[in-house]
């Protein structure tokens, strides 16, 4: 009986070890799938826009002429990501690191890493796991010229930053 008890104890410890290793592998695989499901934004182009008569848009890098900012990018193809409606958020930071936004209340914020942060633009899209071109516009809110310097643009989806770019206005 003692010999059988030792044998069973050894087998039990081996099974516990195998179970712990399998659980660790499962957790690592779940993390890899979660990371693989993240969308990415690429080919990000940010431009100052001058509005002309007849709704014609001309690209400008002169701060005094900017009426709007156009942000264009491509969402990556991702067969692992969940298809369906997605909300994209874009944050435009002026050279003094102030986020341009239409308002400061909760209607102009979203959840990111446990905090509520302001966004400049928001768009709902229907993502079907295929590459998707997106174009968003920020219309200047005041008559004052835009600030000269380097602007930072961050793109978010599903609570993660999926793209970043910068552009300069002279």
């Amino acid at each position: 009986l003692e010999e059988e008890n030792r044998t069973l104890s050894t087998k039990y410890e081996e099974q516990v070890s195998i179970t712990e290793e399998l659980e660790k592998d499962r957790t690592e695989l779940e993390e890899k799938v979660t990371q693989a499901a993240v969308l990415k934004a690429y080919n990000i182009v940010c431009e100052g826009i001058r509005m002309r008569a007849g709704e014609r848009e001309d690209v400008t890098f002169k701060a005094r002429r900017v009426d709007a900012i156009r942000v264009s990018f491509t969402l990556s193809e991702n067969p692992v990501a969940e298809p369906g409606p997605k909300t994209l958020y874009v944050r435009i930071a002026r050279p003094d690191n102030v986020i341009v936004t239409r308002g400061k209340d909760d209607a102009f914020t979203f959840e990111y890493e446990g905090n509520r942060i302001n966004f400049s633009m928001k768009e709902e899209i229907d993502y079907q796991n295929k590459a998707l071109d997106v174009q968003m516009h920020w219309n200047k809110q005041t008559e004052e010229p835009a600030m000269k310097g380097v602007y930072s643009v961050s793109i978010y989806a599903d609570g993660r930053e999926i793209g970043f770019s910068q552009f300069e206005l002279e």
Side-chain angles (χ1 to χ4, degrees):
L1 284 177
E2 287 178 7
E3 182 64 32
E4 187 177 328
N5 188 14
R6 277 192 294 272
T7 303
L8 287 175
S9 292
T10 303
K11 286 183 181 181
Y12 174 76
E13 289 171 5
E14 288 172 3
Q15 287 302 315
V16 166
S17 177
I18 290 170
T19 302
E20 288 173 351
E21 189 66 33
L22 288 172
E23 181 64 27
K24 180 180 158 196
D25 290 348
R26 185 187 65 79
T27 304
E28 288 174 2
L29 286 173
E30 283 178 355
E31 179 62 30
K32 287 180 182 177
V33 168
T34 300
Q35 289 175 356
V38 173
L39 297 178
K40 300 281 186 228
Y42 62 95
N43 292 341
I44 303 168
V45 177
C46 307
E47 303 169 307
I49 300 296
R50 181 177 187 185
M51 304 304 280
R52 298 289 195 146
E55 296 186 23
R56 194 175 113 209
E57 296 179 351
D58 289 339
V59 174
T60 183
F61 293 99
K62 299 288 186 188
R64 69 180 184 279
R65 293 186 179 157
V66 169
D67 296 316
I69 295 172
R70 178 173 52 209
V71 178
S72 305
F73 57 93
T74 302
L75 283 179
S76 62
E77 179 177 341
N78 190 333
V80 180
E82 188 72 29
K86 302 274 185 203
T87 303
L88 302 177
Y89 297 97
V90 174
R91 283 171 51 104
I92 301 171
R94 298 186 322 198
D96 62 358
N97 289 325
V98 172
I99 303 300
V100 294
T101 183
R102 297 200 191 319
K104 298 293 183 192
D105 59 8
D106 279 350
F108 302 99
T109 65
F110 68 102
E111 185 79 22
Y112 177 67
E113 294 184 350
N115 297 311
R116 304 279 318 160
I117 62 174
N118 290 91
F119 63 83
S120 303
M121 299 179 283
K122 170 183 167 180
E123 185 167 326
E124 298 285 330
I125 60 154
D126 183 26
Y127 182 74
Q128 295 301 317
N129 303 90
K130 305 246 183 288
L132 179 66
D133 292 329
V134 178
Q135 189 175 92
M136 300 169 78
H137 282 79
W138 164 262
N139 294 318
K140 198 169 74 169
Q141 304 295 303
T142 67
E143 293 299 318
E144 295 177 23
M147 186 179 283
K148 292 180 181 183
V150 177
Y151 287 71
S152 299
V153 177
S154 299
I155 304 166
Y156 300 84
D158 298 329
R160 295 178 187 251
E161 184 175 355
I162 63 169
F164 177 82
S165 186
Q166 293 181 319
F167 68 101
E168 185 172 4
L169 295 178
E170 303 167 348

